Amino acid sequence: MPITADQITINNFPDLFRKIIADKQAAGIQAIQNNPPDLLERAQSYGTRFANDSWGWSSNIWHRSAANTSVVNTEQELTDSHRELMLRVLEHIIARPMIQADASLGSPQSLARMHCRLYCDPQYPDIPYRWQQICFPGDATEEPDATLFFIPQYLGNPPMPNDPSNLLQVIRFPNHNYTICTASSYQGEVKKGFLSHWISYCYLQGGTGEHAACREFTVKTPTGEEKRIIMGCWGLTGSGKSAHGMYVLNDQIYQLYADEFGLDLAEICYDNYIKNDDIIGWFDRVVAGSERGAWTKTEGVDENQAGIYDAAMSAEALHENTEWDESGNPAFDAKLFQHNGMLNRNARSVLSLEDTGAFDGSVDSTAPPNMAVFISPGYLTDYAWLKLNDIDFAVKVLADGRTVGHPAQSQEGIGETKYSSRYCLPFTMGVTNAEHLHRFREILRRRSAEGSPIEVYQINTTGKVGASYGWGTVQLNGEEHEMPRVHFEQTPDGPKAVGGTGPSIEETEVFLIQAARGAVQWAPHPLWGEKVLTPLSVPGITAQRLRDLDPFTYRSAEEMEKLLHAQVILGKYYNDIQCPGLHPDIYTAMDF
């Protein structure tokens, strides 16, 4: 008897899937290809083989489908659009076999090991192959903790509920532990789909799941003592999270710092290891890595980002939307491919952490975390670097998730200021942002009370200091507010902010290492006072360069106060939407 849309519920969709599989198998028809070993061979027929023997594929959509994603928590939230897409997925599965691929997030000994099962359209074997290379092995005989149904086909998709201008492509069911993805063959839909479930899973295990990288290194303090740094690095896609979270120090890089900054970095920073690139479990006593590999944005990467570059140039790398040079090798300078009429800004590669030259075999930290870095790029009020000296203020920065738009996120709002709570808004589900933020605050407060505080920094690597702007009015909750508007110019790479300057990756690395050593001298923020500290001197950075990276060089105190007041209003506006229930002390931490 045919399935109809009105019969479908969140609870019975997996049962209907299992019934289809059982009925096909009873008829002698293959329904499941269980973890087939020949996925790469199948995918090679439509892949690109580079001169260095690595492989690459292109996706039909070159960014995530955040605007086309719906999160459904309860049966009462299920709409006709959801049921219609769920029906079309089941109809598709009736007509063809599905690849089953099992893997795990979290190392075998992790506090947050989660078994994942992917069911994928067999026309796209590269997707399960690449995804399994990132993850830890999974036992196909175990029941999965999370399941993802992946049909990268247009299924006559219905419109998004309450938004007829967008097609519904992805439905996530956090409380029922499965996700449905359609239309897009972008690998990020599978990777982030499972990681979205893992973020809430980490919370249930006593930590908090964060959109952050993790690396650890040893510094020598000005007094000659050694200090092991376990650094989390938060940021939305395209903000520089991989650049700093996967930063590798080798002889070439040490020489670069000697030439550019006059620093013998090898003497003060060493034993640098990458732990994870993208999503981590932040616990009181350990940072838990989610994946054994990385899927990293590579455009613009060169030899100075040694870890990413070396791994991406390996014959073992698996590329997506990646160009080639005149020799036929992978190329990362974004001058050949276009997407939506713009030069491609979202080439990515599956990388082996071993190929970075900075991996010790474990994705979990060897000590408790003691350094948190928030990449919050902006144009108007931001210093290049700050120390967040007040716990509630630091959590407020994380609650705001203030950043700028990047083509990897969506094709809308590129370059513009946006708020994405915890830099994790598209991936937070099941457990609210406020719950994650309160858990993070508990960890900071407990560690501070124990005398082993976690130092928190805010950096502006991909933003600018002192960009040009004007004022306009916006309506927020029925009230009119004056808000600054950054001036942009169109370039072949997309819109760019006019004027100002920004720190290089190398300058920011100098700051992070010197801050970790305790070698930076600080001054209170001119408006926020001791809650926020600004760098007075950073060994290796000239006094003139620090002035260039100080917004008060370009703005008067009165102008800065007006700009920050607008930022506070806008931050609270988005807090109300994205993390309701936030503790009042956090919500008001930026007031002055």
Side-chain angles (χ1 to χ4, degrees):
M1 190 170 171
I3 304 168
T4 60
D6 60 358
Q7 295 175 317
I8 295 176
T9 66
I10 304 175
N11 277 318
N12 73 9
F13 177 88
D15 296 333
L16 291 169
F17 167 76
R18 285 189 284 268
K19 184 177 187 309
I20 290 169
I21 301 307
D23 289 349
K24 291 173 77 171
Q25 290 173 336
I29 301 297
Q30 185 182 38
I32 296 295
Q33 300 171 4
N34 192 341
N35 290 277
D38 63 340
L39 292 174
L40 178 57
E41 286 178 47
R42 298 189 206 179
Q44 287 172 353
S45 66
Y46 58 93
T48 296
R49 189 170 193 176
F50 295 94
N52 70 344
D53 286 335
S54 63
W55 283 89
W57 294 266
S58 64
S59 56
N60 58 1
I61 295 172
W62 291 16
H63 56 83
R64 291 193 310 271
S65 303
N68 309 89
T69 297
S70 182
V71 177
V72 184
N73 295 291
T74 65
E75 296 286 1
Q76 290 71 32
E77 296 174 17
L78 204 65
T79 68
D80 290 342
S81 281
H82 297 125
R83 293 188 185 91
E84 188 176 342
L85 184 60
M86 295 164 81
L87 173 63
R88 292 180 189 182
V89 168
L90 292 173
E91 292 170 341
H92 190 85
I93 291 169
I94 290 172
R96 63 179 67 199
M98 296 290 282
I99 294 170
Q100 175 184 321
D102 289 88
S104 292
L105 294 173
S107 64
Q109 68 276 10
S110 174
L111 290 170
R113 180 183 176 273
M114 187 180 85
H115 178 203
C116 306
R117 178 164 296 161
L118 171 66
Y119 291 108
C120 180
D121 186 308
Q123 283 185 286
Y124 295 85
D126 67 297
I127 298 294
Y129 179 75
R130 287 188 282 152
W131 173 68
Q132 284 185 317
Q133 303 315 300
I134 296 174
C135 300
F136 292 91
D139 186 346
T141 65
E142 287 182 358
E143 282 299 306
D145 297 302
T147 303
L148 194 146
F149 301 90
F150 191 63
I151 313 291
Q153 312 273 12
Y154 172 64
L155 301 177
N157 292 50
M160 284 283 290
N162 306 318
D163 184 7
S165 65
N166 272 319
L167 294 181
L168 176 61
Q169 294 175 195
V170 180
I171 316 175
R172 295 179 180 160
F173 300 102
N175 299 322
H176 299 76
N177 304 318
Y178 71 93
T179 287
I180 294 169
C181 295
T182 69
S184 172
S185 64
Y186 184 57
Q187 185 184 336
E189 302 295 4
V190 170
K191 173 183 155 70
K192 292 294 194 184
F194 279 119
L195 285 168
S196 294
H197 287 279
W198 192 75
I199 286 167
S200 56
Y201 190 79
C202 285
Y203 184 90
L204 298 176
Q205 309 312 309
T208 175
E210 299 294 333
H211 189 199
C214 180
R215 87 185 222 234
E216 57 180 76
F217 51 92
T218 296
V219 293
K220 188 177 289 185
T221 70
T223 59
E225 298 170 290
E226 287 190 338
K227 181 180 181 182
R228 192 64 178 163
I229 301 297
I230 312 299
M231 184 183 88
C233 188
W234 280 250
L236 211 57
T237 297
S239 65
K241 176 166 56 67
S242 295
H244 294 294
M246 295 186 72
Y247 203 79
V248 168
L249 299 170
N250 58 22
D251 290 343
Q252 172 190 329
I253 302 303
Y254 284 137
Q255 188 61 51
L256 183 153
Y257 282 88
D259 295 342
E260 287 197 18
F261 303 100
L263 290 173
D264 183 359
L265 213 58
E267 178 65 25
I268 60 173
C269 185
Y270 38 86
D271 292 339
N272 180 89
Y273 294 112
I274 295 165
K275 291 297 176 179
N276 237 237
D277 170 48
D278 193 20
I279 301 288
I280 56 176
W282 190 267
F283 292 84
D284 201 358
R285 301 299 171 189
V286 69
V287 178
S290 55
E291 298 167 311
R292 67 184 175 103
W295 181 67
T296 300
K297 188 169 64 65
T298 49
E299 92 275 342
V301 169
D302 59 25
E303 291 91 337
N304 289 337
Q305 290 173 260
I308 299 174
Y309 184 83
D310 290 348
M313 290 303 294
S314 165
E316 304 304 313
L318 300 167
H319 304 285
E320 183 168 17
N321 307 326
T322 298
E323 302 171 3
W324 53 85
D325 63 17
E326 61 278 359
S327 302
N329 286 310
F332 312 126
D333 42 9
K335 63 182 182 182
L336 177 64
F337 285 178
Q338 287 187 205
H339 184 60
N340 284 356
M342 292 191 303
L343 289 172
N344 176 29
R345 304 304 297 168
N346 197 24
R348 289 186 175 265
S349 300
V350 169
L351 310 177
S352 165
L353 293 182
E354 285 86 349
D355 286 337
T356 65
F359 185 58
D360 64 359
S362 173
V363 301
D364 302 319
S365 70
T366 59
N370 56 8
M371 185 172 179
V373 178
F374 302 148
I375 306 179
S376 195
Y379 305 115
L380 302 178
T381 62
D382 294 282
Y383 287 77
W385 317 300
L386 294 170
K387 183 175 184 180
L388 307 182
N389 208 33
D390 175 83
I391 287 176
D392 287 336
F393 193 104
V395 178
K396 178 65 164 68
V397 170
L398 186 57
D400 286 358
R402 185 170 54 87
T403 185
V404 296
H406 187 275
Q409 302 159 15
S410 72
Q411 294 304 302
E412 295 77 39
I414 296 171
E416 296 177 6
T417 301
K418 63 185 293 186
Y419 286 75
S420 181
S421 187
R422 299 173 51 244
Y423 312 101
C424 196
L425 190 63
F427 318 123
T428 301
M429 60 183 195
V431 177
T432 67
N433 279 312
E435 290 172 292
H436 279 287
L437 290 160
H438 294 158
R439 172 71 56 77
F440 186 75
R441 180 184 188 233
E442 288 170 13
I443 293 172
L444 293 183
R445 294 178 74 173
R446 185 161 55 246
R447 289 288 301 279
S448 179
E450 292 172 355
S452 59
I454 297 172
E455 296 188 346
V456 186
Y457 299 91
Q458 180 180 329
I459 64 175
N460 191 26
T461 293
T462 47
K464 282 190 170 184
V465 180
S468 174
Y469 74 100
W471 289 92
T473 57
V474 298
Q475 290 283 330
L476 302 175
N477 294 327
E479 295 182 2
E480 196 171 86
H481 294 273
E482 264 199 298
M483 288 289 160
R485 293 177 177 171
V486 178
H487 295 148
F488 289 95
E489 59 183 346
Q490 291 300 322
T491 74
D493 294 333
K496 300 289 184 183
V498 175
T501 184
S504 68
I505 290 170
E506 291 76 23
E507 286 175 323
T508 296
E509 279 296 315
V510 169
F511 165 77
L512 291 173
I513 290 167
Q514 299 291 21
R517 296 179 63 227
V520 174
Q521 292 184 8
W522 302 99
H525 189 281
L527 295 173
W528 276 316
E530 295 287 346
K531 285 186 175 183
V532 180
L533 303 181
T534 67
L536 198 59
S537 72
V538 180
I541 306 294
T542 67
Q544 180 56 53
R545 187 58 179 152
L546 280 179
R547 283 192 291 272
D548 293 342
L549 297 172
D550 180 341
F552 284 84
T553 300
Y554 309 90
R555 329 269 195 221
S556 68
E558 183 181 13
E559 185 182 7
M560 280 290 288
E561 184 168 349
K562 185 177 180 183
L563 286 166
L564 283 172
H565 182 65
Q567 181 180 309
V568 170
I569 290 172
L570 204 56
K572 288 181 176 178
Y573 171 77
Y574 283 105
N575 290 164
D576 291 340
I577 297 169
Q578 299 176 357
C579 45
L582 196 59
H583 192 284
D585 289 349
I586 302 170
Y587 187 76
T588 59
M590 289 185 180
D591 294 358
F592 58 86

